[in-house]
Amino acid sequence: MGDVRGIIVGSRNARVGFPAAIAILRAGGSALDAAVAAVKEVEANVADQSVGIGGIPNILGHVELDASIMDGRTLAAGAVGAVKHYPHPIEIARKVMETTPHVMLVGEGAELFARLHGFEPANLLTPESEAAWRRVVYGEAETQSSVYEDAYQLYMHAVRDWVKLLHKEIFGTTNVIVRDLAGNIACAVSTSGWGFKWPGRLGDSPIIGAGNYADNRYGAAACTGRGEMAIRCASAHSVVMYLRQGLSLEEALCQVMLDLRALEDPFAERANVMNIVAMDRWGNVAAASTASDATYVVQTVEMDEPEERPRLHVPLTES
Ligand code: GLY
């Protein structure tokens, strides 16, 4: 086994954050600093409708963000869920980890915490995301106003039928796992969650063990996709536990993906998707997906550019 230090791996949309992370690693900075720097860049990317500013809002039209961070050196962790108005939940999660005896704060409590710690609020709803919300909530009926008395009734109708709307759109999340030059691992995840979700719905991203887990002694893993699946199978933690039991990185990833097959899902009208990126304790990386053509990105401090690689394909059903 190699000993790969100064490396970042993550979901494809994390690529925009790699230059910031690599610069920190090259300067001898910590995995935690590099992971947060990378994720902040994705959160600030308004073109990404699955993370941070520009994220797809909930059914009420409010952008609610979730994030988590884990330090593989100490197993310290921090998370926030259903945070409105603050564009960088990953920084708030880190603050929770570093300044409180807690792991997770949600909703108004998390926002109060952010305000007291001086985080800057911002409008998270871009015109593009608002337009996407209007399309889904008001749908075709927007041009058939005679069907409903007014927009409010139309809106309330959509809210009542919300669970049907969920199958139209969108899971997205960003994650990175970083190993610094000292050999420490950190894992960071951020998302606006399931597009058009019910207010207060949390996926796997802020849940340590589900969407994020890091332990220097064995490795780390982070998930994207339908968070309910990763919660029910404790997927990120399971990867690390399979590594602990001696499976190779690829074997551990495959086993966790196969574990998802036991999930019954009466709501699965659309193809369920789960993706995992992982790193072992030596800094080797791999990733898996239920989709056949999914990729992930990786870069070491020696590389000039990130490299996009195919994920192992492990479908949810036997073919
Ligand atoms: N994986 C992100 C979510 O389900 O919210």
Side-chain angles (χ1 to χ4, degrees):
M1 281 291 168
D3 181 20
V4 188
R5 293 171 185 237
I7 183 168
I8 176 168
V9 63
S11 55
R12 200 155 57 110
N13 62 351
R15 188 186 185 111
V16 296
F18 276 33
I22 288 289
I24 289 170
L25 292 176
R26 285 184 181 143
S30 71
L32 273 178
D33 283 344
V36 169
V39 166
K40 274 186 72 180
E41 294 291 328
V42 193
E43 290 173 338
N45 179 12
V46 293
D48 191 319
Q49 290 192 308
S50 67
V51 183
I53 291 185
I56 293 289
N58 65 19
I59 185 66
L60 301 180
H62 305 145
V63 181
E64 282 183 352
L65 304 178
D66 311 327
S68 67
I69 180 120
M70 187 156 183
D71 182 349
R73 189 175 62 85
T74 59
L75 306 190
V80 291
V83 171
K84 298 201 275 276
H85 314 303
Y86 289 91
H88 292 299
I90 194 65
E91 285 192 310
I92 310 171
R94 182 176 187 173
K95 194 62 94 173
V96 171
M97 176 176 80
E98 291 180 339
T99 68
T100 82
H102 308 308
V103 168
M104 189 189 297
L105 297 177
V106 301
E108 284 179 11
E111 290 155 17
L112 175 64
F113 177 82
R115 182 154 62 84
L116 292 177
H117 282 275
F119 289 99
E120 283 296 320
N123 176 19
L124 306 182
L125 189 63
T126 57
E128 291 75 17
S129 292
E130 186 176 5
W133 174 77
R134 282 192 185 284
R135 264 198 310 279
V136 166
V137 170
Y138 294 96
E140 292 303 308
E142 199 172 18
T143 55
Q144 301 168 14
S145 54
S146 62
V147 175
Y148 299 96
E149 277 176 26
D150 57 29
Y152 179 73
Q153 279 200 18
L154 190 59
Y155 170 73
M156 291 309 289
H157 180 85
V159 169
R160 262 200 316 276
D161 284 350
W162 147 85
V163 79
K164 292 184 191 146
L165 298 177
L166 290 182
H167 297 293
K168 296 190 178 185
E169 306 284 335
I170 283 179
F171 309 110
T173 297
T174 195
N175 56 34
V176 297
I177 302 169
V178 179
R179 189 167 189 244
D180 61 29
L181 297 178
N184 292 314
I185 297 174
C187 183
V189 185
S190 185
T191 190
S192 52
W194 193 332
F196 317 109
K197 64 192 173 185
W198 195 259
R201 176 266 182 189
L202 299 180
D204 58 324
S205 304
I207 298 179
I208 298 301
N212 180 340
Y213 205 78
D215 184 332
N216 272 7
R217 296 171 299 174
Y218 311 112
C223 305
T224 58
R226 184 167 177 164
E228 284 73 4
M229 299 168 76
I231 294 171
R232 291 166 71 193
C233 284
S235 297
H237 186 255
S238 295
V239 172
V240 175
M241 285 304 104
Y242 285 129
L243 290 171
R244 179 179 184 166
Q245 287 171 6
L247 272 64
S248 72
L249 192 57
E250 284 77 11
E251 287 168 344
L253 276 168
C254 278
Q255 189 55 57
V256 171
M257 300 300 277
L258 292 174
D259 290 347
L260 300 171
R261 290 186 177 178
L263 299 177
E264 286 188 20
D265 192 346
F267 297 100
E269 286 175 22
R270 50 164 283 172
N272 278 352
V273 174
M274 177 55 56
N275 311 286
I276 311 177
V277 293
M279 178 185 285
D280 68 17
R281 65 175 141 151
W282 299 283
N284 301 298
V285 299
S289 177
T290 54
S292 58
D293 52 358
T295 58
Y296 68 105
V297 282
V298 60
Q299 187 174 3
T300 66
V301 289
E302 288 86 25
M303 292 163 64
D304 293 330
E305 294 285 331
E307 190 177 297
E308 193 164 335
R309 296 181 185 167
R311 292 176 186 252
L312 303 167
H313 178 214
V314 187
L316 273 178
T317 51
E318 280 179 81
S319 52

